[in-house]
Amino acid sequence: MIPFLDLKSINTQYRDELVAAATRVIESGWYIQGNEVRAFEEEFADYCGSQHCIGVADGLDALTLTLRAWKEMGKLKEGDEVIVPANTYIASILAITENRLKPVLVEPDEASFNLCPEKTAAAITSNTKAIVAVHLYGQMAPMPALMGLAEKHGLLVLEDAAQAHGASIGGRKAGSWGHAAGFSFYPGKNLGALGDAGAVTTDDEELAKTIRALGNYGSHKKYENLYQGVNSRLDEIQAAMLRVKLRHLDKEIQNRRQVAEHYLAHIDNPSIQLPAIGALETHVWHLFVIRCQQREALQHHLADQGVQTLIHYPIPPHHQKAYACWQAEHYPITENIHQTVLSLPMGPCLTSETSGQVTEAVTRF
């Protein structure tokens, strides 16, 4: 079976470096908020082209704490509307509702799966205060247009960059476009830790300080608490793992692009819709997502051919039981996307031979 993502092979490449990094932390005697976290924050901020990076426990906390910080700073208040793509992973929406803000679901661009500037503009009301721009599957949302809308209407922009480490537009990376960006380092991400981890990037020093305090029990100074905060801190040993893997990220992205190029060039089947992309060199291919009206049959066929696939995502947020209040709402583009998408194997360790087997199996369907 060709696995959808072989995490063991990815991390085995760097075993000696990872073991050395873990040993360094163990022998340091300092396991929370130490030198590894500080070093990773500096290195990742520099990589993204951002002034500040704040390590947190996971990607959901990165989004949630940023919105919470804007509330503490008086830039948002309960009930404010936040535009978010209707087809996103539910975490983008959970962060909004956790802060008692109102998600406004907007249909995506059907080709890119990302926010459509025209539909976003049409959804803006006097109550709209922010946009969550999700960079889905590794391709950035149209940030120049979205930032133009934000400037025109005085809106905050939070990039959900959980799938877009290293993606860029015009040489400017994800994490440096919006007023802030939330990253996940879940093990399956392009930059993946060996456990849960996340971070926020921003150029706003006050925002950075507020997020850091909120994630540390609301404390900016030991035993003094400004806010009713939470415990959401990047683990010292995960920071050490991420420092190792950040050094290899660009090489892994290039490997992913080679796999994507092979798929795009060799999958030849009229029932398969290939991903639409702007420029190949700016996409980091966290996922390679095709569409097929006979998805279930295709997935069974590929499994029979020894190809593991996944569905990102089978149920749209507005049909989840967690948001029963939206059950009657209808988003036809989003619903069709969720009914037809299928993710092919994608990762930096796929060989040309393996990629060829996948394309042959898809083409034979």
Side-chain angles (χ1 to χ4, degrees):
M1 175 69 73
I2 299 171
F4 175 75
L5 178 65
D6 187 351
L7 286 177
K8 185 176 180 179
S9 292
I10 292 171
N11 291 318
T12 297
Q13 301 174 97
Y14 317 122
R15 184 184 185 280
D16 291 346
E17 292 176 77
L18 293 169
V19 169
T23 302
R24 187 171 66 242
V25 174
I26 293 167
E27 293 180 349
S28 74
W30 194 298
Y31 308 122
I32 298 291
Q33 298 289 281
N35 292 330
E36 298 295 337
V37 169
R38 284 190 289 272
F40 173 72
E41 288 175 340
E42 292 174 2
E43 291 161 6
F44 192 64
D46 182 68
Y47 179 82
C48 293
S50 182
Q51 293 183 27
H52 305 281
C53 172
I54 310 96
V56 296
D58 52 55
L60 175 57
D61 280 2
L63 301 175
T64 303
L65 289 174
T66 301
L67 294 170
R68 167 78 186 279
W70 278 331
K71 287 177 68 180
E72 295 289 353
M73 294 164 63
K75 295 189 175 185
L76 292 175
K77 65 181 185 306
E78 289 187 14
D80 282 345
E81 293 179 355
V82 180
I83 289 174
V84 63
N87 63 311
T88 187
Y89 181 58
I90 200 169
S92 312
I93 297 169
L94 290 171
I96 298 170
T97 55
E98 175 66 19
N99 280 286
R100 298 187 178 182
L101 302 166
K102 181 181 178 182
V104 175
L105 305 184
V106 172
E107 290 269 56
D109 175 80
E110 196 164 7
S112 72
F113 305 107
N114 283 325
L115 273 177
C116 168
E118 291 76 21
K119 293 173 184 174
T120 301
I124 295 172
T125 72
S126 59
N127 296 319
T128 306
K129 302 302 177 186
I131 299 171
V132 174
V134 182
H135 307 319
L136 203 60
Y137 306 151
Q139 181 168 220
M140 287 186 65
M143 293 307 295
L146 292 176
M147 293 307 296
L149 278 176
E151 184 176 354
K152 178 180 178 181
H153 295 279
L155 307 179
L156 296 165
V157 177
L158 173 57
E159 297 176 66
D160 182 341
Q163 301 183 4
H165 318 74
S168 63
I169 296 176
R172 185 173 169 185
K173 285 191 173 74
S176 67
W177 281 89
H179 300 101
F183 286 88
S184 167
F185 304 120
Y186 181 79
K189 304 298 186 185
N190 287 24
L191 179 59
L194 274 67
D196 274 320
V200 178
T201 57
T202 183
D203 287 343
D204 185 333
E205 184 174 2
E206 182 185 1
L207 177 63
K209 289 180 178 178
T210 306
I211 293 170
R212 194 176 297 282
L214 285 169
N216 189 34
Y217 299 96
S219 175
H220 67 299
K221 183 179 179 181
K222 194 168 185 178
Y223 301 129
E224 294 184 19
N225 302 77
L226 281 172
Y227 314 106
Q228 297 177 24
V230 298
N231 178 5
S232 181
R233 301 178 296 207
L234 175 60
D235 184 77
E236 186 76 356
I237 208 161
Q238 294 301 341
M241 302 295 100
L242 288 166
R243 291 185 69 199
V244 169
K245 298 188 72 178
L246 181 59
R247 295 195 290 268
H248 302 283
L249 178 57
D250 285 341
K251 179 195 73 176
E252 290 201 357
I253 289 172
Q254 189 54 42
N255 291 348
R256 288 173 177 271
R257 286 177 178 153
Q258 289 174 0
V259 174
E261 287 174 4
H262 184 92
Y263 285 169
L264 290 168
H266 293 92
I267 292 176
D268 183 14
N269 188 319
S271 67
I272 304 299
Q273 181 180 330
L274 294 170
I277 58 171
L280 189 66
E281 66 272 13
T282 67
H283 199 312
V284 295
W285 298 105
H286 172 60
L287 300 172
F288 190 96
V289 181
I290 61 175
R291 295 180 67 181
C292 180
Q293 295 298 324
Q294 300 84 36
R295 180 179 65 190
E296 185 175 351
L298 172 61
Q299 190 170 36
H300 285 311
H301 163 78
L302 292 177
D304 289 342
Q305 298 295 310
V307 178
Q308 183 185 32
T309 58
L310 292 179
I311 299 171
H312 296 87
Y313 303 97
I315 304 173
H318 69 283
H319 283 169
Q320 297 285 356
K321 290 182 180 179
Y323 292 107
C325 58
W326 293 338
Q327 292 294 312
E329 296 193 21
H330 186 43
Y331 297 92
I333 294 175
T334 291
E335 289 157 16
N336 188 258
I337 286 172
H338 284 259
Q339 290 163 4
T340 58
V341 290
L342 187 67
S343 300
L344 300 181
M346 171 54 70
C349 294
L350 283 173
T351 65
S352 57
E353 179 182 357
T354 304
S355 300
Q357 292 172 6
V358 174
T359 57
E360 288 175 13
V362 175
T363 297
R364 283 198 301 268
F365 173 67

